Amino acid sequence: MKTVKDLKIDKKVVLIRCDFNVPIKNKKIMDDTRIVESLETIRYCIKKKAKVVLFSHLGRIKEKKDLAKNTLEPIAKRLSELLNQEVIFINETRGKKLEDAVKNLKEGEVLCVENTRYEDLDGKKESTNDQELGAYWASLGDYFINDAFGTIHRAHASNVGIASHLESAVGFLIEKELKALSSLNRPKKPFVVILGGAKVHDKIGVIEKLVLKADYLLIGGGMAFTFLQSEGYQIGNSLIDYDSLDFCHEILKKYPEKILLPLDFRVSKEFNNKAKSRVVDITEIEDDEMGLDIGPKTIKIYEQYLKDAKTVLWNGPLGVYEFTKYRKSTEEILKYLVDENISTILGGGDTTSAATSLNLKDKVTHASTGGGATLEYLEGKKLPGLEAIK
Ligand code: AMP
């Protein structure tokens, strides 16, 4: 795979697709991990005296009212602080203002283009990889670097589109992500996978692949209940994915010793952080209760399975970690892995956010910036963003 170091970018206009899709509330960035992760490539280009033009999407743009809340302006500001130099922000995705600003860039200067998904308002041009749009953006630069791991499993105009018109490479972040994930092709054993999150459906492909390689799959989160119901347990009001019941039943039958399910839960009658909760065994969930976190017995047992692991992959929180009341298992097991120095890869999305909010992200072996991309890579699917560079 060609990387940024293989391109002769000195003094050239370099277009970089970053992943600045960060959580924002009232124009305030709640977690800047993805911005920080993109700095290495940007700094490298600045050092090479390239003229740097940054692209990223942010959120979803369906109607006009989505535009203002999804502007990249606060991100450009945060980037200026982190880079300690001005980042020119252009509040447009095409047109004379953008073209002139790119032409006027001096060596080592950085410009950030408005949210690429502003182009989705008019026929989803960005998200459907509109040919004309990709060609237009490519016409602004000399080289293209894709460093947005979070969208590498999608064909958008700002990644695949641009790459099909310019000499391209991946940035340092994608290089790092691929290196970490490819280590899972031949993991050091015992290899233990922790799977949580909401839906089984999204993870069927990855479960089928990982069950072949892993010594154990420890299941938690909302998805545990579909597995449990498929075995005839009463799960009350807990999350259920009816379409995946047969899959769960079959895979449990095939790998009864490899797939572990929770024995106890913290349950509540309401899906919020305020209502009363209690810890119950799996056989004690009332009809009007839902399991919102795995319980203390399960945490202890899972830790026993993790104790001797040489590689751990974790995708999806084990409870509704957004509510402080139901984040205990995710927090405790993360701390356990870090304290015991167990080689751990976090598969992006909520798992990485949970580690960030606990200040543990930098203590694990690798915390991915892309949940969906990680899953598709592990499923063995081709990633369009990478294919376009190959
Ligand atoms: P996913 O995107 O599939 O990894 O799902 C992540 C989401 O799963 C998070 O928003 C969690 O709040 C949610 N989640 C975890 N455990 C549960 C649970 N027991 N019930 C409902 N949702 C859950």
Side-chain angles (χ1 to χ4, degrees), residues 196-199 202-203 221-222 225 239 271 291-293 315-322 350:
K199 278 197 188 162
D202 301 343
K203 292 176 189 168
F225 297 102
L239 201 66
F271 188 82
L292 297 174
D293 195 7
N315 187 289
L318 298 173
V320 184
Y321 85 102
E322 295 92 334
D350 291 300

Side-chain angles (χ1 to χ4, degrees), residues 274-294:
K274 287 192 196 122
K276 263 201 220 152
S277 69
R278 64 181 191 123
V279 170
V280 297
D281 279 349
I282 176 60
T283 50
E284 297 168 344
I285 303 178
E286 302 285 347
D287 287 350
D288 58 353
E289 288 178 321
M290 59 187 107
L292 297 174
D293 195 7
I294 62 171

Side-chain angles (χ1 to χ4, degrees), residues 86-105:
E86 188 198 359
V87 171
I88 301 159
F89 176 68
I90 300 295
N91 64 349
E92 283 170 16
T93 48
R94 62 166 88 212
K96 191 165 178 330
K97 184 170 160 189
L98 172 63
E99 291 154 26
D100 286 348
V102 173
K103 265 186 217 132
N104 292 331
L105 275 179

Side-chain angles (χ1 to χ4, degrees), residues 172-229:
F172 294 116
L173 174 60
I174 289 192
E175 197 185 359
K176 189 171 81 176
E177 296 268 12
L178 293 177
K179 198 170 156 208
L181 291 177
S182 65
S183 74
L184 297 174
N185 292 331
R186 258 176 254 110
K188 283 201 183 133
K189 303 273 239 166
F191 174 35
V192 182
V193 176
I194 308 174
L195 281 178
K199 278 197 188 162
V200 181
H201 182 78
D202 301 343
K203 292 176 189 168
I204 286 181
V206 92
I207 294 172
E208 282 174 328
K209 277 265 150 53
L210 290 174
V211 79
L212 303 174
K213 279 189 197 149
D215 295 278
Y216 297 106
L217 255 67
L218 313 180
I219 309 284
M223 67 188 271
F225 297 102
T226 306
F227 279 95
L228 288 163
Q229 169 128 334

Side-chain angles (χ1 to χ4, degrees), residues 128-198:
T128 57
N129 186 17
D130 178 85
Q131 295 300 302
E132 181 272 330
L133 181 59
Y136 169 71
W137 280 335
S139 74
L140 298 171
D142 300 306
Y143 290 106
F144 175 61
I145 295 166
N146 189 358
D147 212 17
F149 183 71
T151 51
I152 199 145
H153 57 312
R154 305 262 181 256
H156 289 168
S158 63
N159 59 359
V160 172
I162 303 180
S164 52
H165 293 279
L166 283 181
E167 190 178 346
S168 306
V170 297
F172 294 116
L173 174 60
I174 289 192
E175 197 185 359
K176 189 171 81 176
E177 296 268 12
L178 293 177
K179 198 170 156 208
L181 291 177
S182 65
S183 74
L184 297 174
N185 292 331
R186 258 176 254 110
K188 283 201 183 133
K189 303 273 239 166
F191 174 35
V192 182
V193 176
I194 308 174
L195 281 178

Side-chain angles (χ1 to χ4, degrees), residues 1-2 163 168-170 178 382-390:
M1 181 68 55
K2 215 188 258 185
S168 306
V170 297
L178 293 177
K382 286 212 155 102
L383 305 170
L386 274 192
E387 294 301 309
I389 282 166
K390 277 185 195 162

